[in-house]
Amino acid sequence: MRRTAEEAAQTRRALLEAALEVFAERGYAAATLSGIAARAGLTRGAVYHHFTDKAELYLATIAENWGAAAAPVWAHLEDTDAGPEERIRRFLVAFFTAFEKNFALRTTFAMSMQGSELPELQVGLEDKRRVMDAWAEQLAALLRAAGVDRPGEVVPPESGAIAIIAAVNGVAATWLACPDLFSPAHQAEALAQAVLHGILPRKE
């Protein structure tokens, strides 16, 4: 029984890895379950054993690959050894660097953007929206700790958090649309400073 469970887990992982490649190459509409199964070296029946349809496989591919790829990046926000401003800066540098270098992070981001336009994927993407809400709350708390809500500051923490998320998404979307325009890994520090310049309070 244990061997069977291990084999099933390996099969599911192989399907998710193949799906990531096929969806990245062909997009949701053109990708087929038979093509994904073939890429994984499995039968179409193996796909249906783990996933009911293409939409479920698409959403699972986003959720599981994004979680693994993004976790090291978002971990910077949890690093209590650094101050709140430094935690945000490290997070931004890590994201801009990883987006260029990490295929899973880049691809699942693109897939989630495409999926937001597909009616059959709306229910599954509710999880993404809940995660984004949690990130916004976390960033707002760090901005508040960094002094953004001091008297005289013009950027409320909640607005600053939205601005950071929008900047991250904007850089990522720009990279996907125009990869030759810039190289985030070479400009990660500068991009992070640019994002934070108009949000964090100025040092006296």
Side-chain angles (χ1 to χ4, degrees):
M1 179 66 71
R2 182 176 180 181
R3 176 64 176 168
T4 301
E6 290 176 353
E7 289 176 345
Q10 290 173 359
T11 297
R12 190 175 190 278
R13 187 66 239 165
L15 287 169
L16 289 171
E17 291 175 356
L20 185 67
E21 295 175 0
V22 174
F23 284 130
E25 294 168 7
R26 301 180 60 82
Y28 179 79
T32 64
L33 293 180
S34 58
I36 292 170
R39 180 69 63 91
L42 298 165
T43 65
R44 182 166 170 155
V47 180
Y48 282 114
H49 178 75
H50 291 275
F51 305 98
T52 57
D53 54 24
K54 185 167 69 170
E56 184 181 1
L57 176 55
Y58 192 84
L59 291 169
T61 302
I62 294 174
E64 299 193 24
N65 284 288
W66 171 266
V73 175
W74 287 95
H76 288 286
L77 297 178
E78 307 285 351
D79 184 7
T80 56
D81 290 336
E85 179 177 345
E86 177 63 12
R87 286 155 71 177
I88 298 173
R89 188 195 66 79
R90 290 180 184 178
F91 153 71
L92 289 169
V93 171
F95 182 89
F96 295 144
T97 301
F99 196 81
E100 181 183 39
K101 295 180 176 296
N102 191 308
F103 173 77
L105 182 70
R106 185 169 63 253
T107 300
T108 51
F109 180 91
M111 288 173 64
S112 69
M113 290 180 63
Q114 181 187 32
S116 65
E117 302 173 357
L118 300 170
E120 63 267 40
L121 300 178
Q122 289 306 301
V123 174
L125 288 173
E126 288 177 1
D127 288 340
K128 175 188 174 183
R129 298 183 185 101
R130 283 192 288 270
V131 169
M132 295 296 284
D133 287 342
W135 286 344
E137 292 177 4
Q138 186 178 25
L139 286 166
L142 287 174
L143 289 172
R144 196 172 292 111
V148 166
D149 61 347
R150 294 185 310 187
E153 298 297 340
V154 297
V155 181
E158 294 75 16
S159 298
I162 293 172
I164 290 172
I165 292 174
V168 166
N169 287 334
V171 169
T174 302
W175 197 100
L176 290 170
C178 308
D180 295 332
L181 183 61
F182 61 87
S183 176
H186 298 156
Q187 303 181 43
E189 184 71 41
L191 285 169
Q193 293 293 74
V195 171
L196 294 175
H197 180 71
I199 298 173
L200 293 171
R202 295 183 179 180
K203 300 292 191 298
E204 298 296 340

